[in-house]
Amino acid sequence: MEPKVMRAMLLEKQREPLKLAAVPIPEPSEGQVLLRVSTCGVCRTDLHILDGDLAEPKLPLILGHQVVGTVAGLEAGVSRFSLGQRIGVPWLGYTDSTCRYCLRGQENLCDNLKCTGYTLDGGFAEYAVADERFCFPLPPVYTDIEVAPLLCAGLIGYRTYRMAGEHVERLGIYGFGAAGHIIAQLANFEGKRVFAFTRPGDVETQSFARHLGAYWAGGSDESPPELPDAALVLAPVGALMVTALKAVAKGGVVVSGGIHMTDIPSFPYHLLWEERTIRSVANLTRQDGEEFLKIAPQVPVRTAVTSYRLEDANLALEDLRSGKLDGAAVLTI
Ligand SMILES: [Zn+2]
Ligand SMILES: [Zn+2]
């Protein structure tokens, strides 16, 4: 007999800890696969959903949008994957393919977007279902634990990095966590000089950044020896947008990679003068995913991971909140 119920960490109400529960194993509908989840990355966005910074999640909800597992069931219409194949499920869980954004190649802005672990159930559970069109085959060189953070920290980090533009020689990274440590390696590989900015005084993360090839690492209150051409803000702190704007060279762009941040303080126009830009990045496209998962093993991007058991998901979230982690948190299921 196949099991009918599974263990999952359930979000029943925002601002309350997740609860371990036994829930029915989801059944795939047309075009969907059923995954036996093996690992799932923990992302700052999970904290934003938990804390109520992001409104109106599906409730009760299974969080987690960096889902790694093997195909355990297929519904009619599934043609890309076979039983037993290892695949990954990212944040982008569904688009309608027909709205004006989808039609012009910006499916990340789809009017009817559904997101894994937010408006769809995610991977903090033994099983998950996903629309096969949005799943990715995963590079075989990575273990299930290593590959999980590539699915959001990697993919959305990659989109953020690409938004910095092609002509960037010196790249500032504010917030050197899961996404920062992945993107620094890619930027290095592409011949860019990385300037890593951490919380003031966080010498441990600064040495971690240098170890991963950063040209310079220091506190966000310090001035680097050269002005970055672009800066990625990967911490949810609005004031860093202004700090980064002050630091970038003429024509520089400051890109926020997160889905939520604290308010951005007002700033004098001269900081934006000389064609500086501030912008955000929302979600990802499938093309971002395909490009990044192709280039990551070539670098090769290595992920620093702290793993937790499924039932310790609350602990993983708290460690992420307090900044205790170098790299990424991953649940093993
Ligand atoms: Zn994420
Ligand atoms: Zn659409």
Side-chain angles (χ1 to χ4, degrees):
M1 272 285 281
E2 290 286 311
K4 293 269 191 294
V5 293
M6 65 173 185
R7 292 181 315 137
M9 289 300 284
L10 271 193
L11 176 69
E12 289 178 339
K13 212 171 157 212
Q14 287 177 297
R15 290 172 284 273
E16 282 181 10
L18 309 182
K19 284 184 198 145
L20 185 64
V23 298
I25 294 175
E27 284 183 22
S29 46
E30 194 171 344
Q32 287 189 326
V33 292
L34 174 71
L35 271 89
R36 174 68 179 90
V37 179
S38 66
T39 62
C40 187
V42 181
C43 173
R44 174 138 332 248
T45 300
D46 299 318
L47 269 183
H48 292 316
I49 297 168
L50 181 76
D51 291 348
D53 297 327
L54 297 183
E56 297 180 13
K58 169 193 179 293
L59 286 177
L61 172 70
I62 299 171
L63 285 169
H65 55 272
Q66 308 183 84
V67 191
V68 178
T70 49
V71 177
L74 303 162
E75 193 43 59
V78 170
S79 57
R80 293 180 61 212
F81 304 113
S82 48
L83 278 177
Q85 186 175 353
R86 184 176 77 151
I87 62 176
V89 186
W91 173 251
L92 187 83
Y94 172 84
T95 63
D96 57 18
S97 312
T98 54
C99 75
R100 53 203 291 263
Y101 297 99
C102 284
L103 292 176
R104 69 187 195 203
Q106 291 177 299
E107 67 177 354
N108 59 307
L109 301 179
C110 177
D111 282 334
N112 293 300
L113 184 74
K114 289 184 192 162
C115 299
T116 311
Y118 180 35
T119 50
L120 299 168
D121 278 331
F124 288 11
E126 290 176 314
Y127 291 86
V129 292
D131 184 324
E132 71 151 356
R133 294 171 300 165
F134 299 91
C135 300
F136 298 108
L138 298 172
V141 296
Y142 295 108
T143 64
D144 291 357
I145 292 181
E146 290 166 339
V147 81
L150 298 186
L151 286 165
C152 181
L155 298 192
I156 293 184
Y158 175 77
R159 184 172 180 85
T160 310
Y161 169 63
R162 285 289 177 241
M163 290 298 166
E166 301 215 331
H167 306 295
V168 171
E169 292 172 3
R170 309 169 196 154
L171 180 73
I173 296 180
Y174 287 78
F176 206 83
H181 95 287
I182 290 171
I183 294 312
Q185 296 172 62
L186 174 58
N188 225 5
F189 174 74
E190 295 193 333
K192 302 181 195 316
R193 246 181 252 172
V194 172
F195 298 81
F197 296 86
T198 69
R199 294 179 205 218
D202 186 355
V203 289
E204 217 170 290
T205 304
Q206 289 160 19
S207 88
F208 176 59
R210 279 186 217 102
H211 171 73
L212 289 176
Y215 176 78
W216 177 89
S220 57
D221 56 342
E222 291 178 50
S223 304
E226 298 162 40
L227 300 181
D229 299 310
L232 315 182
V233 177
L234 303 172
V237 182
L240 285 176
M241 294 297 281
V242 181
T243 306
L245 192 58
K246 279 182 194 158
V248 293
K250 287 183 280 189
V253 54
V254 176
V255 193
S256 164
I259 192 166
H260 172 84
M261 60 170 39
T262 54
D263 286 355
I264 301 174
S266 72
F267 54 85
Y269 176 64
H270 76 81
L271 294 182
L272 193 62
W273 171 241
E274 294 170 324
E275 302 195 341
R276 291 175 180 86
T277 308
I278 60 173
R279 66 166 301 161
S280 68
V281 155
N283 313 314
L284 70 140
T285 64
R286 282 171 276 184
Q287 190 184 336
D288 295 327
E290 279 152 24
E291 285 177 17
F292 177 70
L293 291 171
K294 190 168 166 214
I295 198 168
Q298 293 166 28
V299 173
V301 169
R302 296 283 170 219
T303 50
V305 170
T306 305
S307 68
Y308 298 82
R309 297 178 310 164
L310 173 66
E311 50 269 45
D312 294 330
N314 288 307
L315 177 63
L317 286 161
E318 285 317 308
D319 286 352
L320 179 61
R321 186 194 301 283
S322 65
K324 247 193 203 172
L325 294 158
D326 268 341
V330 173
L331 303 183
T332 57
I333 294 154

